[in-house]
């Protein structure tokens, strides 16, 4: 008998996507995860905006503009036609472009490293841990 195969564990990089309504105050709300797993050819931005939390930091925030910028991040991750010039770059270059330091309303955390057997599951785990607020 052969021992069961251990599932392959891939290394991934991720950053938390943040909305900083008033950059000068440096307060932010985590709104998503950007995850790159080169061995799985995986790049995804998963976004969930909690409008009430953003409005608590800035009642006048332009949520339509925020959504458009976040949708652009998702399009760049997906790549291909309609994703603009950055979306045509190789996946790894797109990840690095998206995680470059900015002083705009949409920012990312520093890049962190993880290991997983399935990149999609890793995104969900990080969303639960870093973005979604448990209400109870």
């Amino acid at each position: 008998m052969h021992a069961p195969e251990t599932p392959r564990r891939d290394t991934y990089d991720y950053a938390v996507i943040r909305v900083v309504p008033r950059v000068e105050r440096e307060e932010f709300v985590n709104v998503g995860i950007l995850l790159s797993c080169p061995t799985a050819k995986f790049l995804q931005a998963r976004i969930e905006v909690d409008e009430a939390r953003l409005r608590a930091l800035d009642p006048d925030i332009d949520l339509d503009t925020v959504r458009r910028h976040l949708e652009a991040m998702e399009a760049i991750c997906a790549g291909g036609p309609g994703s603009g010039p950055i979306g045509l770059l190789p996946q790894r270059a797109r990840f690095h472009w998206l995680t470059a330091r900015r002083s705009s309303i949409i920012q990312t955390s520093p890049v962190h490293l993880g290991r997983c057997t399935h990149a999609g599951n890793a995104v969900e785990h990080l969303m639960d841990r870093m973005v979604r607020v448990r209400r109870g």
Side-chain angles (χ1 to χ4, degrees):
M1 285 236 137
H2 295 321
E5 277 190 43
T6 304
R8 185 181 85 201
R9 294 184 58 80
D10 294 323
T11 300
Y12 64 85
D13 295 314
Y14 77 94
V16 180
I17 302 167
R18 302 170 168 166
V19 175
V20 188
R22 295 174 58 195
V23 176
E24 70 279 6
R25 291 184 58 148
E26 298 184 8
E27 299 168 324
F28 60 85
V29 174
N30 293 343
V31 297
I33 297 294
L34 179 61
L35 190 137
S36 171
C37 184
T39 55
K41 296 183 170 90
F42 184 94
L43 177 62
Q44 185 178 63
R46 178 78 50 84
I47 309 289
E48 291 180 15
V49 177
D50 186 330
E51 293 180 9
R53 291 178 70 211
L54 287 174
R55 289 200 189 281
L57 295 181
D58 183 359
D60 298 322
I61 189 168
D62 182 348
L63 289 171
D64 290 334
T65 298
V66 168
R67 276 192 209 88
R68 277 196 309 279
H69 286 283
L70 294 171
E71 288 167 1
M73 291 181 86
E74 291 173 316
I76 289 168
C77 285
S83 63
I86 302 301
L88 300 177
L89 295 172
Q91 278 188 343
R92 202 67 188 147
R94 286 183 267 153
F95 178 78
H96 289 295
W97 188 87
L98 288 166
T99 58
R101 290 196 45 87
R102 292 177 174 78
S103 62
S104 63
I105 192 169
I106 308 290
Q107 300 180 15
T108 60
S109 72
V111 174
H112 303 283
L113 182 69
R115 291 184 54 101
C116 66
T117 56
H118 187 274
N121 291 345
V123 171
E124 280 302 308
H125 169 75
L126 291 167
M127 288 292 292
D128 286 341
R129 192 163 167 240
M130 308 297 278
V131 177
R132 296 176 181 135
V133 177
R134 293 182 194 196
R135 305 198 197 286

